[in-house]
Amino acid sequence: IFVDGRLAFYLKGKIRGKYLVTAQMDTGTENIDELFDDFHRKDARSVFRRLDPDQYYPVYGDSSTLTDDTDSQGKLYVRVDWDRSRAIWGNFNTNFTGTEFAPFNRSLYGAQLLHNSTDDTNLGDATYSLNVFASKAQSLYRHNEFLGTGGSLYYLRDTDIVIGSEKVWVEVRQSGSSRVVQKVPLVSGRDYDIDDFQGRLILRRPLLSVAAQGGPSIIRDEPLAGNQTFLIVDYEYSPQNLDFDDASVGARAKKWFGDHLGIGATWAYEKRTGDDYDIKGADVTLKRSDETFIKAEMAQSESSQTSGSFLSTDGGLNFEPFVSNTAQSQGMAFGIEARASLVDFSPKSRPFEFVFWAK
């Protein structure tokens, strides 16, 4: 009589010479009647897989390597790739980017379908694309902003960060207006290192509080006059009292009509206890090249995407919220961006770009 057991497998191969299937399942050792329960739940023991053997004393005496191409915090992972498309059950990034007013860029666990056409326009864009996802709550989204301290060590607001969920960049903001004049994305392992268990981030180079190019004059009224630099970190974290009945769904689609006209639409909905989040957006692009185009956007949202946004001026020792966790807010935004490069109209002219942005 079997009382407990474990079922585990890994497979990778092609079906009909076109569909590349990668799958893995590991139920762990459980009672027989509970073997297939909670397939969508996060594995609480995954914290022990975060230990880096290169940073500890034991020497294992071999030159073996471990490769994991099944990114899943649950018991099941399935991925099917074909042409330029893929379907996933496991960890994924929503990757709703490319718009100013309707972004939804989170790291979740659940199902996602990315479908891109095999045909391109003459300007290199996929004729159409579709991104659909659905996920049950495994984590919450958080937004942290740090004023540059002149140092490299910054403490996040939370601990137990979901592995690989962080998105880190530096913003240079105009003094007085807080308008973003420059945005520099950072790459893990090259620009920073993160301890996701303790919520600690270390930059490879110190971040000053004032940008060097912010004050070209050698005469200043204040010692720290100039544009301010901020370290921005978005991440997912695992709270203790998360309701697993909450869910997130969304879709992003874009279609090019010919080579120059593209129309896109975005929708995302996140069910929360007493604070549901909903955003809808549409965008139209009239394009001559990657440097010359006109793009118009419209978006409507309800509530806030984050469960809390926090600002720190001392590297994470103290935080102040700048978006209320309980405020029910809704609004609508319109914007238009136009860029023109003289090279597209006169190939012999010198590179020069005109930019217009209004919202």
Side-chain angles (χ1 to χ4, degrees):
I1 300 175
F2 292 97
V3 178
D4 57 14
R6 177 184 181 185
L7 177 61
F9 72 83
Y10 169 83
L11 69 87
K12 187 169 187 177
K14 279 193 173 182
I15 298 177
R16 301 176 61 183
K18 177 179 180 181
Y19 301 96
L20 177 62
V21 179
T22 304
Q24 175 186 345
M25 183 176 70
D26 190 351
T27 63
T29 303
E30 303 285 353
N31 293 331
I32 290 295
D33 57 346
E34 300 176 355
L35 203 60
F36 300 100
D37 292 347
D38 299 331
F39 258 55
H40 64 284
R41 297 292 180 90
K42 177 183 176 181
D43 184 2
R45 292 168 294 185
S46 63
V47 64
F48 298 107
R49 304 191 188 108
R50 306 184 191 184
L51 302 179
D52 185 355
D54 295 333
Q55 297 183 3
Y56 294 90
Y57 176 76
V59 178
Y60 296 94
D62 60 22
S63 58
S64 61
T65 59
L66 176 65
T67 302
D68 186 2
D69 61 348
T70 56
D71 185 13
S72 176
Q73 63 186 23
K75 298 179 180 180
L76 178 66
Y77 177 89
V78 179
R79 172 170 173 161
V80 182
D81 294 90
W82 71 97
D83 297 329
R84 299 180 182 178
S85 306
R86 70 173 183 261
I88 299 176
W89 176 272
N91 290 3
F92 62 87
N93 196 315
T94 59
N95 201 29
F96 285 10
T97 58
T99 60
E100 181 73 17
F101 298 131
F104 193 84
N105 196 14
R106 293 190 57 187
S107 299
L108 302 173
Y109 175 77
Q112 183 187 40
L113 171 64
L114 293 174
H115 184 54
N116 297 304
S117 67
T118 56
D119 298 326
D120 289 337
T121 66
N122 292 328
L123 297 178
D125 298 296
T127 304
Y128 63 87
S129 60
L130 176 66
N131 184 348
V132 182
F133 75 88
S135 171
K136 277 213 168 185
Q138 304 288 327
S139 59
L140 291 180
Y141 177 62
R142 187 76 90 189
H143 177 84
N144 287 180
E145 296 187 3
F146 301 89
L147 178 64
T149 61
S152 300
L153 176 61
Y154 295 86
Y155 292 94
L156 302 179
R157 178 67 170 75
D158 307 280
T159 57
D160 197 9
I161 309 302
V162 175
I163 299 175
S165 68
E166 79 279 356
K167 302 167 186 67
V168 186
W169 68 95
V170 172
E171 285 186 358
V172 179
R173 298 179 181 176
Q174 188 176 52
S175 179
S177 68
S178 296
R179 183 177 66 89
V180 177
V181 296
Q182 188 177 8
K183 184 176 180 180
V184 181
L186 304 184
V187 179
S188 177
R190 186 193 69 183
D191 302 312
Y192 70 89
D193 297 297
I194 187 171
D195 185 333
D196 47 71
F197 182 61
Q198 300 184 56
R200 183 176 59 187
L201 188 143
I202 302 177
L203 300 178
R204 295 293 178 91
R205 298 177 59 186
L207 181 65
L208 301 178
S209 58
V210 177
Q213 68 272 26
S217 174
I218 62 174
I219 301 175
R220 301 185 181 182
D221 296 330
E222 300 177 0
L224 295 179
N227 295 336
Q228 293 181 314
T229 57
F230 286 83
L231 176 67
I232 315 296
V233 185
D234 288 348
Y235 58 88
E236 304 280 333
Y237 72 102
S238 301
Q240 297 296 324
N241 56 349
L242 184 62
D243 185 357
F244 286 96
D245 291 333
D246 295 347
S248 300
V249 294
R252 163 74 181 167
K254 189 164 187 177
K255 167 71 175 176
W256 284 92
F257 298 89
D259 296 328
H260 305 289
L261 177 62
I263 299 177
T266 304
W267 171 72
Y269 174 77
E270 186 170 335
K271 178 177 173 56
R272 304 174 187 162
T273 304
D275 187 20
D276 295 351
Y277 172 72
D278 181 79
I279 185 168
K280 306 178 185 71
D283 55 276
V284 178
T285 304
L286 189 61
K287 180 178 178 180
R288 180 185 177 93
S289 71
D290 291 335
E291 289 77 28
T292 302
F293 61 86
I294 299 175
K295 184 176 182 179
E297 291 185 42
M298 183 274 291
Q300 181 178 7
S301 65
E302 182 176 350
S303 188
S304 172
Q305 183 179 158
T306 64
S307 59
S309 298
F310 294 87
L311 171 66
S312 176
T313 59
D314 54 13
L317 300 179
N318 297 282
F319 285 91
E320 294 182 2
F322 60 89
V323 175
S324 172
N325 293 346
T326 58
Q328 283 286 349
S329 59
Q330 59 182 358
M332 182 174 291
F334 300 90
I336 184 169
E337 179 183 7
R339 291 178 180 267
S341 176
L342 293 182
V343 177
D344 290 327
F345 301 95
S346 178
K348 296 182 179 181
S349 64
R350 293 182 178 181
F352 192 81
E353 188 177 84
F354 296 96
V355 180
F356 171 77
W357 171 250
K359 61 181 179 179

